[in-house]
Amino acid sequence: MIGNIRKLLAASLPLLASFALVLSATPAAMAQGKTLTVRFYDDPAGFDPANIFRIENENIAFNIFSGLTSYDGVTGEIVPDLATSWETSDNKTWTFKLREGVTFHKDYGDFTAADVIYSFNRIKDPATASPYAAELAGIVSMEAPDPYTLVIELDAPNGNFLHTVANYHQGQIVSQKAIEEAGDQVRWQPIGTGPYYLESIDVSSQIVLKRHEGYYKGPAPIETIVFNIIKDEATATIALRNGEVDLVMRSNQEENLTTLKAEGFTMNAVMNYAVVVGVLNPEFEPFANPLVRKAMAHAVDYVSITQAISPSLTQPHSSMLLPWMDVYTDDIPKYEYDPEKAKALLAEAGYPDGFTFKNLGTSAQGVTELQQFQIDFLSQVGINMEMELVDTPTFNQRRNAGEFDMASRLLPAVNPDMILFSYLHPDNMVPNGLNGARYDNPEVTALLEGARAEPDKDKAFEMYKQVQQIVAEEAVYLATYSNNVFWPGKPEVTGVHINYLAQVNFYDVDITE
């Protein structure tokens, strides 16, 4: 009898071991049913990587799509994503080994090199009208010796190419079949390979993401993420305090942050992540004159404004780049608050009595407290700034097309080269890119292209330094202040790491008991 029992136990051990392995291999089983509710702060504008814009939409896309590379949520370092490894001997020919076993959402098939080639060609195609086309313009050829090897040839060396193909804008990989089936609804039907897929969307109230059970890293800890659209900051704060949301995507009012911090909510944050610049259209005659642009810079006291409105959220800043970027230099012309100098520059430029211009903004935001201060300071030197408020989709369309006198833009980036090329290279001039100032200086263009191709970091730095000095001297863009980003949340919501693109990888987020 005992012998039979021993035989039965021996026969059962492999089954028990297999069962234990299954349990250990499916951590998502422990997370079944977890739902995270997040405040989303504006009308969604779609999630097609070819033309996506605005940080709130990019946060959704970052979790739906993948790139050949991505950014570590804590350090910001380049890490493998759809590519497991890469090699180059000259920064011109790049060979990527791709990850096998990766699947697109909703049974759209396996990921291969063909998907990368399609995605990049789609961005480059003029018919797509992508504002990020110039980012990939240097690609001469793409070949796939096998489904999981990709060789990309560039027209010139580019030491920053791993940033170009990262999980951001043009680097996000799509499914050709999904794009073709979606047709003109592609921005509302995103299909990627990331940790979450779009289950449903009501553009006026809610976005729902579900975890991708076939994600190559394994299912995410949280099964469902519900983004409730709450535009009003005070309402969002109340929703967090009442438990109606677990996490607030971007809280940007000082008093709300003070309240939530005092009540013990976690103040997830990233500091100094991006610069807000004023974009002046030179087709509006006064702004074609650098003396006027300098007068605008001297006329507004951003030190006092940021301290008065939001000392936790903003700080005055005089450069397009951030101090944590490796090519940043502080050795540039700066424009301290000096209204008398502003008046003298206006008179020298032929505008002793000032002028009137329109600043494009969104009706959703209204006239902000910052803009009220700008209006007041500019009026003191004779410049009349009128706000032109339009709905968010119109604002985005007109800003991308360059249809404004003045507009503001914030371009988060880990790669400083992307900011400089986006704002300063003539290939990126609106409507083909983000160069809303329509800047075209052959000397700066040559320096940018030389720095990107230069393998010696010290030599490259000197070229980037010259670029920053020239554009500051010409006051091409008006650097105003840099932003800090806060995502207040319940203490039990963990793993909210905001990167320098102001994005959160929700694969890292969990809800603890």
Side-chain angles (χ1 to χ4, degrees):
M1 181 70 173
I2 293 174
N4 290 336
I5 292 173
R6 285 175 176 166
K7 288 179 181 178
L8 182 61
L9 285 172
S12 301
L13 284 175
L15 289 172
L16 291 171
S18 297
F19 183 61
L21 283 172
V22 169
L23 285 178
S24 65
T26 55
M30 301 298 292
Q32 187 68 30
K34 283 189 180 180
T35 298
L36 179 74
T37 305
V38 183
R39 178 267 182 126
F40 193 86
Y41 56 83
D42 206 345
D43 297 321
F47 315 110
D48 179 5
N51 54 37
I52 193 169
F53 42 83
R54 298 183 63 88
I55 294 165
E56 66 275 19
N57 302 301
E58 290 160 356
N59 261 283
I60 300 289
F62 184 63
N63 287 276
I64 289 176
F65 295 101
S66 309
L68 293 181
T69 62
S70 191
Y71 295 106
D72 182 272
V74 178
T75 67
E77 296 294 320
I78 285 280
V79 294
D81 198 1
L82 293 177
T84 58
S85 64
W86 47 84
E87 60 183 31
T88 181
S89 59
D90 57 3
N91 287 342
K92 187 176 180 183
T93 301
W94 293 78
T95 301
F96 295 89
K97 291 296 181 183
L98 305 184
R99 195 177 301 277
E100 299 186 36
V102 175
T103 59
F104 282 100
H105 304 152
K106 301 183 180 181
D107 298 322
Y108 271 95
D110 294 336
F111 159 78
T112 68
D115 297 301
V116 183
I117 293 172
Y118 170 77
S119 298
F120 290 174
N121 280 334
R122 177 173 178 258
I123 296 289
K124 293 177 64 179
D125 185 351
T128 306
S130 172
Y132 312 115
E135 294 295 316
L136 298 175
I139 295 178
V140 174
S141 66
M142 293 181 282
E143 296 180 357
D146 62 68
Y148 297 101
T149 303
L150 177 66
V151 181
I152 299 179
E153 183 77 22
L154 306 180
D155 59 4
N158 181 359
N160 296 296
F161 191 61
L162 294 178
H163 288 283
T164 303
V165 298
N167 182 10
Y168 187 55
H169 295 167
Q170 73 285 337
Q172 294 172 332
I173 305 305
V174 300
S175 159
Q176 180 174 357
K177 181 181 178 184
I179 294 291
E180 291 173 350
E181 288 185 359
D184 62 2
Q185 293 300 304
V186 64
R187 65 178 176 149
W188 304 118
Q189 297 178 25
I191 297 294
T193 58
Y196 286 92
Y197 68 88
L198 180 66
E199 182 184 59
S200 63
I201 181 168
D202 181 329
V203 295
S204 64
S205 63
Q206 192 176 82
I207 305 161
V208 179
L209 300 186
K210 283 283 189 180
R211 69 180 172 208
H212 177 28
E213 300 294 343
Y215 185 50
Y216 73 82
K217 291 183 181 180
I222 294 173
E223 182 182 36
T224 306
I225 306 178
V226 178
F227 294 89
N228 286 335
I229 299 172
I230 306 173
K231 297 180 183 179
D232 181 70
E233 287 289 327
T235 304
T237 300
I238 293 169
L240 180 60
R241 296 173 71 194
N242 289 347
E244 297 164 18
V245 299
D246 305 308
L247 183 67
V248 170
M249 179 192 287
R250 197 202 70 171
S251 182
N252 65 357
Q253 287 187 3
E254 197 79 23
E255 61 271 25
N256 295 333
L257 292 173
T258 301
T259 296
L260 294 172
K261 184 176 181 180
E263 294 183 1
F265 289 93
T266 303
M267 307 305 287
N268 308 290
V270 62
M271 315 304 282
N272 242 356
Y273 89 102
V275 180
V276 175
V277 297
V279 186
L280 305 178
N281 181 358
E283 293 183 357
F284 175 70
E285 184 176 343
F287 293 158
N289 190 324
L291 296 176
V292 171
R293 300 195 296 265
K294 291 179 181 181
M296 294 273 289
H298 280 300
V300 182
D301 185 359
Y302 287 105
V303 174
S304 297
I305 291 174
T306 54
Q307 284 300 308
I309 298 177
S310 52
S312 298
L313 289 158
T314 59
Q315 47 276 317
H317 194 68
S318 56
S319 172
M320 297 167 64
L321 302 184
L322 279 305
W324 52 265
M325 294 176 168
D326 58 3
V327 302
Y328 168 85
T329 180
D330 189 51
D331 184 16
I332 60 172
K334 298 181 178 69
Y335 301 93
E336 306 295 339
Y337 174 58
D338 189 338
E340 294 307 313
K341 190 167 187 177
K343 291 177 183 177
L345 287 167
L346 287 172
E348 185 181 352
Y351 299 94
D353 299 321
F355 57 90
T356 296
F357 75 95
K358 293 182 179 180
N359 186 359
L360 185 67
T362 66
S363 52
Q365 237 184 345
V367 180
T368 66
E369 195 171 0
L370 170 76
Q371 289 163 343
Q372 292 283 11
F373 272 107
Q374 287 177 316
I375 290 169
D376 182 53
F377 276 110
L378 289 170
S379 69
Q380 294 176 36
V381 300
I383 299 174
N384 179 32
M385 182 176 100
E386 297 178 349
M387 291 303 302
E388 183 180 9
L389 302 180
V390 296
D391 61 73
T392 300
T394 302
F395 171 80
N396 290 325
Q397 181 274 321
R398 285 186 52 185
R399 186 174 64 167
N400 287 345
E403 297 171 358
F404 53 79
D405 295 343
M406 176 179 173
S408 62
R409 187 174 281 280
L410 178 148
L411 181 60
V414 178
N415 177 17
D417 187 73
M418 177 186 176
I419 293 176
L420 297 176
F421 262 78
S422 295
Y423 284 147
L424 302 172
H425 198 283
D427 286 353
N428 275 325
M429 200 174 295
V430 291
N432 298 317
L434 306 183
N435 183 355
R438 295 166 168 84
Y439 187 66
D440 185 1
N441 180 331
E443 181 184 5
V444 168
T445 300
L447 286 167
L448 284 173
E449 293 174 350
R452 174 178 279 186
E454 176 56 61
D456 185 307
K457 288 189 175 181
D458 291 336
K459 292 179 180 178
F461 172 77
E462 288 303 318
M463 287 186 272
Y464 283 122
K465 179 179 177 179
Q466 288 181 59
V467 167
Q468 293 170 73
Q469 291 172 332
I470 293 169
V471 299
E473 173 61 35
E474 296 183 19
V476 179
Y477 291 89
L478 302 184
T480 56
Y481 58 90
S482 62
N483 268 1
N484 307 324
V485 173
F486 289 85
W487 287 39
K490 295 178 180 177
E492 58 266 30
V493 178
T494 61
V496 181
H497 306 303
I498 310 170
N499 64 23
Y500 278 122
L501 300 174
Q503 297 171 330
V504 169
N505 183 353
F506 283 100
Y507 185 81
D508 296 334
V509 178
D510 200 356
I511 303 172
T512 60
E513 297 300 327

